[in-house]
């Protein structure tokens, strides 16, 4: 690593020749949304970011330029959303899930379905296999590309109906579901086999319980109790830590590190970086709320996050 003008610059090797890759202007930007952002999602090619706020959705390119805006006129507020590789944008308001068709430079309404319980989490690579987490702890598989009425296919229940699904994370054949009492389910899509586990040391009741997967590792964060637990795919604990961070909104793997974002501005820093021993190695963005999960773009080596109430930011991991 080199320090240049106060910035840490990565030193790379190409064909035996060493050179310095300098951050570009587009390595960091802020996009002004003007209201609270509740979720964000990258397109499958990582060229676009979808921003979900209470009354609409905005699509921006990787340089922070607005492509289109979808105004939502429903009676409830958008609370969660995602995008699929087959060109659909999915979002939920209360107990209904909607699909839009992204036509590139514009977007059109496609389909909606009601589940009778509030939708609290979403995960989908393709619209035909949309995984939906509900407020009474069920995880459902639904085909959002099909306008015809379908039966509700419940895959499993994370916990009893008093608890909601707080996050869903899909990684190849593995789906990880979390509930607000700290209970998780690891579910294999191919075999439909699943196992429940509780990785944390104490009692939890937090809507920000989260997990993400990379390769054969799972990282779990438990919201305001400030605990991180790293497991292997067989659910054996590799490391655990009661951190000094007051609250976690989400956690994600990137470049061999774990990044977390803080839910509350009471945290000294919004973004915290940990090594795989769960040792805190760097912090970024002082005193700011964060209502969305972190999203990582491998092609840009960049992280996206909603922050400071009205902004969505992109920053290169050169700076973190």
């Amino acid at each position: 690593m080199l320090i240049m003008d106060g910035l840490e610059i990565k030193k790379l090797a190409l064909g035996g020749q060493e050179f310095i890759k300098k951050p570009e202007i587009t390595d960091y930007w802020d996009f002004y949304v003007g209201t609270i952002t509740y979720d964000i999602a990258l397109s499958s090619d990582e060229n676009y970011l979808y921003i979900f706020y209470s009354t609409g959705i905005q699509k921006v390119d990787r340089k922070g330029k607005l492509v289109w805006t979808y105004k939502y006129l429903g009676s409830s507020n958008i609370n969660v959303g995602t995008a699929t590789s087959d060109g659909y944008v999915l979002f939920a308001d209360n107990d209904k899930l909607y699909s839009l068709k992204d036509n590139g430079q514009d977007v059109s309404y496609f389909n909606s379905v009601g589940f009778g319980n509030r939708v609290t989490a979403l995960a989908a690579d393709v619209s035909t296999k949309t995984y939906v987490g509900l407020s009474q702890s069920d995880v459902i598989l639904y085909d959002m590309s099909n306008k015809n009425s379908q039966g509700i296919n419940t895959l499993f229940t994370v916990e009893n109906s008093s608890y909601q699904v707080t996050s869903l994370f899909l990684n190849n054949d593995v789906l990880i579901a979390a509930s607000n009492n700290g209970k998780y389910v690891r579910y294999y899509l191919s075999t439909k086999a699943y196992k429940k586990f509780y990785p944390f040391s104490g009692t939890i009741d937090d809507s920000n319980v989260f997990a993400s997967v990379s390769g054969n590792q799972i990282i779990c964060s438990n919201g305001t109790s400030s605990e991180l637990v790293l497991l292997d795919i067989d659910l054996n604990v590799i490391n655990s830590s009661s951190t000094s961070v007051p609250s976690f909104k989400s956690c994600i793997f990137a470049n061999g590190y774990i990044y977390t974002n803080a839910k509350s501005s009471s945290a000294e820093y919004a973004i915290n970086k940990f090594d795989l021993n769960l040792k805190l190695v760097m912090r970024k963005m002082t005193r700011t709320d964060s209502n969305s999960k972190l999203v990582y773009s491998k092609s840009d080596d960049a992280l996206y996050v909603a922050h400071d109430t009205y902004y969505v930011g992109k920053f290169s991991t050169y700076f973190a």
Side-chain angles (χ1 to χ4, degrees), residues 19-40:
F19 71 102
I20 304 300
K21 186 180 189 311
K22 297 179 181 179
E24 305 293 337
I25 293 174
T26 54
D27 280 344
Y28 180 83
W29 47 254
D30 268 332
F31 181 83
Y32 181 71
V33 181
T35 187
I36 297 172
T37 296
Y38 290 102
D39 212 349
I40 55 176

Side-chain angles (χ1 to χ4, degrees), residues 169-243:
F169 196 94
L170 185 60
N171 184 53
N172 298 321
D173 189 43
V174 177
L175 177 69
I176 302 290
S179 75
N180 59 296
N181 73 335
K183 184 70 68 68
Y184 289 84
V185 169
R186 182 205 58 196
Y187 180 87
Y188 286 110
L189 308 184
S190 57
T191 64
K192 300 182 180 179
Y194 67 91
K195 184 176 180 180
K196 296 185 178 183
F197 62 103
Y198 187 90
F200 302 117
S201 60
T203 302
I204 298 165
D205 184 6
D206 198 301
S207 61
N208 296 302
V209 176
F210 197 88
S212 63
V213 185
S214 178
N216 291 317
Q217 294 184 324
I218 305 167
I219 184 66
C220 304
S221 59
N222 69 354
T224 53
S225 297
S226 309
E227 190 174 3
L228 288 176
V229 180
L230 180 66
L231 307 116
D232 64 24
I233 204 67
D234 295 319
L235 309 181
N236 300 304
V237 175
I238 300 171
N239 278 306
S240 64
S241 177
S242 296
T243 72

